[in-house]
Amino acid sequence: MTYEELKTKILKANPRANIQLLDNCHLIADEIHSTQKRLSGDPYMSHALEVANILSELKMDSSTISAGLLHDVLEDSSMTFEELKEKIGEEVATLVEGVTKLTFKAKPEKEIRQADNFRKILLAMSKDIRVIVVKLADRLHNMRTLQYLSEAKRRENAEETLHIYAPLAHRLGVGRIKWELEDLSMKYLFPAEYEEIGDKIAVKRAQREKLVEEAKTLLETKLKENNINASILGRAKHFYSIFQKMKRLNKDFEEIYDITALRIVVSTLEECYIVLGVIHAIFKPIPGQFDDYIAMPKTNRYQSLHTNVIGPNGLPLEIQIRTKEMNETAEFGVAAHWYYKEGGQRDKKSENKIEWLRHLIEWMTEVKDSKEFMDLLKMDLFGDEVFVFTPKGDVFSLPAGASAVDFAYAVHSSLGDKIMGAKINNKMSPIRTELKTGDIVEIITSSGSKPNPDWLKFVRTNKAKQKIRHFLKMKEEEEEKKGRKG
Ligand code: MN
């Protein structure tokens, strides 16, 4: 893809795109990468263009696409962040810097590494989610061109992709990237199974295509009778999802019956259910194979109706029904957010962002499997918040303005009751110091320390307030008792 081709595509998708910014960024990237080549032999710039192209297909805004063009320049040249900022402005330069700094460790099997990866994701997210989207686009193009790497590198990258990037894409709801990352990883990690599924799908392709066509024609007529305007698409199932299903159900390929799939996209929510009724009137539903993700969306906001039916000629058929909007959420996830924002002001506090952060935190806690941790996090999540870490990499969410005392109580009440001092980013600091996102806080305790009424003037969390009041009340009662005795 040439830059001119990319530009035409971007302008077609979004006539308001900031072409001057894109031109500028392209010029800088082109100059820096001019002498570099990829292992494929292609000029390095081809990678930058493809990453930008993936971002434009996700309908990201001009700043993010520009960051895609420039995403490797800080790593691959002596140019500094300040110099880049000077040339293209703070917004894109900050995105590029974020992408450069965000690196993950492969095979996060050890809890500490897992925590480290999540901490980086969370930090990048709380600053600007677009950094993660660029990172995903970068990884996707690298996975598409993985064949040029050594066998060992291929495996390492595929494992990292399957363990970190695909789940991340899933949690952010970017289905389009998730599926492709999974299939590409599978190709290198389970080559025999990948080939086998590919072969088996190919064998009955003609039969399945015929089935899809027949079902489509039938449904189109019926939906027209009901005055419903729908687009009906045949849908290729992804190899990795078939593979997962075979493993999960311990079944052979032949026993997986929903290989053939249709998607029906309509305008309104009501129409989704009307379409469902129409389908079940024509085709016999398979019992226990219906899911209503519209009434009960998945945590990544995915919405759709799923039903499995006996289609034409007695062959099973999987059908998804959703609105255009739900379809966009399913394909683009968090990325869909910026599509509508181009040209307008970016709302940093948007509910959307908080919601994605919440999902990521839920993901973290699923992995860490600690309910108490989750309860603590939920506490003050909807206000302005800061994310603070223990020296071990556990993250705590606190309201803005929270102090080391709030943090100590959030970790454990005994820590709060005995706090004597705090090391913030390795520096001894007063316990009333306001914490910032990314701070690493170590609480110093002493058996002689106890809560002070003055703390109530600066603590922000309910937990800290309650615990301090509780302690003071106990002390008062104790003194009263003593007073009566004496
Ligand atoms: Mn790259």
Side-chain angles (χ1 to χ4, degrees):
M1 162 165 288
T2 66
Y3 178 61
E4 288 308 313
E5 284 164 352
L6 175 69
K7 216 155 83 167
T8 311
K9 243 177 109 170
I10 293 171
L11 273 174
K12 205 174 153 202
N14 176 17
R16 288 163 68 200
N18 187 343
I19 290 299
Q20 204 193 333
L21 175 70
L22 286 158
D23 280 349
N24 239 335
C25 293
H26 170 253
L27 217 65
I28 295 166
D30 201 32
E31 201 187 312
I32 283 174
H33 295 309
S34 64
T35 55
Q36 297 163 337
K37 285 219 185 303
R38 299 203 97 208
L39 287 174
S40 60
D42 288 334
Y44 200 90
M45 199 53 206
S46 67
H47 169 62
L49 286 166
E50 288 299 335
V51 170
N53 180 40
I54 291 167
L55 291 166
S56 82
E57 283 174 356
L58 285 174
K59 304 184 185 179
M60 293 301 287
D61 62 343
S62 305
S63 296
T64 312
I65 300 173
S66 299
L69 286 170
L70 287 167
H71 78 274
D72 277 325
V73 303
L74 291 180
E75 204 178 323
D76 289 353
S77 76
S78 57
M79 186 182 273
T80 65
F81 168 73
E82 290 301 328
E83 287 163 354
L84 188 62
K85 192 173 107 178
E86 191 78 8
K87 287 179 199 261
I88 52 154
E90 186 159 14
E91 188 186 2
V92 178
T94 305
L95 285 171
V96 174
E97 196 198 26
V99 175
T100 311
K101 281 187 173 168
L102 188 63
T103 55
F104 301 120
K105 294 196 181 90
K107 278 214 242 178
E109 63 227 327
K110 290 206 179 105
E111 193 155 305
I112 192 79
R113 274 198 196 161
Q114 185 79 275
D116 195 43
N117 286 333
F118 284 130
R119 187 169 128 195
K120 286 177 180 167
I121 291 168
L122 203 62
L123 260 185
M125 291 238 346
S126 62
K127 284 184 186 143
D128 197 329
I129 306 180
R130 294 178 298 176
V131 167
I132 308 253
V133 181
V134 178
K135 199 81 193 168
L136 287 172
D138 179 32
R139 175 52 58 126
L140 180 55
H141 184 247
N142 285 335
M143 286 301 292
R144 283 179 184 168
T145 50
L146 200 62
Q147 70 265 36
Y148 302 104
L149 266 57
S150 69
E151 167 71 26
K153 273 273 160 203
R154 280 183 217 168
R155 279 202 81 85
E156 192 186 307
N157 276 289
E159 253 165 36
E160 204 176 61
T161 301
L162 204 56
H163 286 125
I164 301 167
Y165 291 89
L168 184 55
H170 174 63
R171 290 292 159 163
L172 294 176
V174 198
R176 187 181 271 228
I177 287 192
K178 179 216 168 188
W179 296 120
E180 195 178 343
L181 286 178
E182 283 183 347
D183 278 2
L184 287 166
S185 302
M186 183 185 170
K187 189 171 154 188
Y188 294 101
L189 293 175
F190 309 99
E193 291 87 344
Y194 184 85
E195 214 172 294
E196 193 193 328
I197 289 176
D199 288 348
K200 286 185 170 159
I201 283 180
V203 167
K204 292 191 176 166
R205 177 161 286 146
Q207 187 197 27
R208 273 198 315 275
E209 276 168 4
K210 197 166 153 260
L211 167 65
V212 165
E213 269 319 302
E214 280 180 39
K216 216 177 127 176
T217 315
L218 208 59
L219 280 170
E220 266 165 359
T221 320
K222 281 284 170 197
L223 292 180
K224 226 174 236 153
E225 282 172 25
N226 285 275
N227 288 320
I228 290 175
N229 221 333
S231 57
I232 306 177
L233 304 153
R235 199 167 61 83
K237 292 280 281 193
H238 301 277
F239 289 18
Y240 188 70
S241 74
I242 295 170
F243 178 54
Q244 286 290 89
K245 200 161 199 173
M246 285 164 62
K247 275 205 304 193
R248 198 172 64 236
L249 305 174
N250 197 16
K251 285 190 169 167
D252 293 333
F253 180 86
E254 287 71 22
E255 297 171 276
I256 304 290
Y257 48 76
D258 52 358
I259 302 293
T260 316
L262 272 183
R263 178 176 300 155
I264 302 179
V265 180
V266 292
S267 304
T268 68
L269 191 145
E270 289 74 25
E271 284 176 347
C272 292
Y273 291 97
I274 298 172
V275 170
L276 180 73
V278 170
I279 290 169
H280 284 180
I282 311 173
F283 304 122
K284 195 170 146 52
I286 301 171
Q289 299 288 327
F290 168 68
D291 286 300
D292 186 345
Y293 294 116
I294 292 180
M296 278 173 292
K298 293 190 182 181
T299 50
N300 65 6
R301 306 215 306 178
Y302 176 88
Q303 284 189 298
S304 200
L305 297 176
H306 290 188
T307 184
N308 284 308
V309 298
I310 306 293
N313 310 319
L315 292 165
L317 193 60
E318 185 203 70
I319 304 179
Q320 298 177 338
I321 310 154
R322 51 174 82 153
T323 65
K324 280 193 196 90
E325 213 187 321
M326 292 170 193
N327 196 42
E328 234 152 54
T329 302
E331 297 258 312
F332 303 131
V334 70
H337 181 53
W338 278 275
Y339 175 44
Y340 304 101
K341 292 257 167 183
E342 175 87 62
Q345 277 292 76
R346 221 184 108 238
D347 180 9
K348 275 196 170 180
K349 285 181 187 168
S350 77
E351 199 173 314
N352 189 303
K353 183 181 143 183
I354 290 171
E355 207 166 305
W356 294 115
L357 273 170
R358 273 182 53 224
H359 295 324
L360 264 196
I361 290 164
E362 276 166 23
W363 175 27
M364 292 170 54
T365 49
E366 269 168 36
V367 174
K368 291 189 65 76
D369 193 33
S370 154
K371 197 183 166 297
E372 193 194 0
F373 179 61
M374 188 60 208
D375 290 341
L376 283 171
L377 280 171
K378 271 183 182 158
M379 226 174 21
D380 291 297
L381 212 54
F382 284 94
D384 259 353
E385 58 199 329
V386 291
F387 292 99
V388 183
F389 302 100
T390 69
K392 275 165 79 186
D394 290 335
V395 63
F396 286 86
S397 144
L398 296 168
S403 61
V405 174
D406 289 294
F407 177 76
Y409 276 109
V411 177
H412 201 279
S413 27
S414 67
L415 215 53
D417 284 342
K418 295 286 166 215
I419 183 169
M420 184 190 79
K423 260 189 186 170
I424 301 175
N425 303 323
N426 256 330
K427 237 176 71 194
M428 278 308 295
S429 313
I431 55 172
R432 61 186 308 150
T433 310
E434 273 192 20
L435 301 174
K436 301 183 305 297
T437 284
D439 281 345
I440 299 169
V441 184
E442 192 183 338
I443 300 297
I444 317 284
T445 57
S446 137
S447 56
S449 295
K450 45 182 181 284
N452 182 324
D454 279 346
W455 295 357
L456 289 169
K457 290 178 192 151
F458 63 81
V459 296
R460 294 287 168 98
T461 53
N462 290 332
K463 187 172 181 191
K465 279 180 200 158
Q466 276 169 15
K467 293 283 173 186
I468 295 165
R469 284 199 193 109
H470 178 73
F471 181 91
L472 295 172
K473 210 178 134 204
M474 297 268 287
K475 207 176 92 181
E476 221 175 82
E477 284 171 4
E478 232 172 72
E479 269 163 17
E480 250 179 53
K481 262 189 222 163
K482 270 188 211 157
R484 258 181 259 138
K485 273 182 198 162

